[in-house]
Amino acid sequence: MSKALIKSSGGRADNVRGIVPAVCSAVVPGVGQLINGETDKAIGVFVVAVISASGFVAAIPLIGSVAGLVYGATWLYGVADGFLEGRKKR
């Protein structure tokens, strides 16, 4: 029988496991991935966040708004990925 149909018995504990990496990644993008042991992904998320944040701070009218959207998407990706991967690994 396939194990895909069997529900995980962890319940609430499965959801709690990813909270620490998600919170760390919410504070500084990429730290959640670093906690999960994904160094390359952590560096990538951090670099994209820093470059897009600096473009947003420069406040060039069109490019600044696009950079702000890229930063927001990167931040959201970092938090979600930190949570989901932390839930899998611990």
Side-chain angles (χ1 to χ4, degrees), residues 31-44:
V31 174
Q33 286 75 18
L34 195 61
I35 289 173
N36 288 334
E38 301 171 325
T39 308
D40 294 340
K41 192 185 290 186
I43 292 169

Side-chain angles (χ1 to χ4, degrees), residues 21-35:
V23 169
C24 290
S25 195
V27 175
V28 177
V31 174
Q33 286 75 18
L34 195 61
I35 289 173

Side-chain angles (χ1 to χ4, degrees), residues 28-29 43-57 67 70-71 74:
V28 177
I43 292 169
V45 169
F46 182 74
V47 167
V48 170
V50 167
I51 290 172
S52 61
S54 65
F56 179 70
V57 171
V70 170
Y71 178 80
T74 303

Side-chain angles (χ1 to χ4, degrees), residues 1-2 7 9-10 15 27 31 60 68 72 74 79 81 90:
M1 174 181 242
S2 173
K7 185 177 178 182
S9 63
N15 290 331
V27 175
V31 174
I60 301 170
T74 303
V79 172
D81 183 62
R90 293 183 182 233

Side-chain angles (χ1 to χ4, degrees), residues 65-85:
S65 60
V66 172
L69 289 174
V70 170
Y71 178 80
T74 303
W75 181 84
L76 187 62
Y77 169 78
V79 172
D81 183 62
F83 177 74
L84 295 174
E85 292 297 322

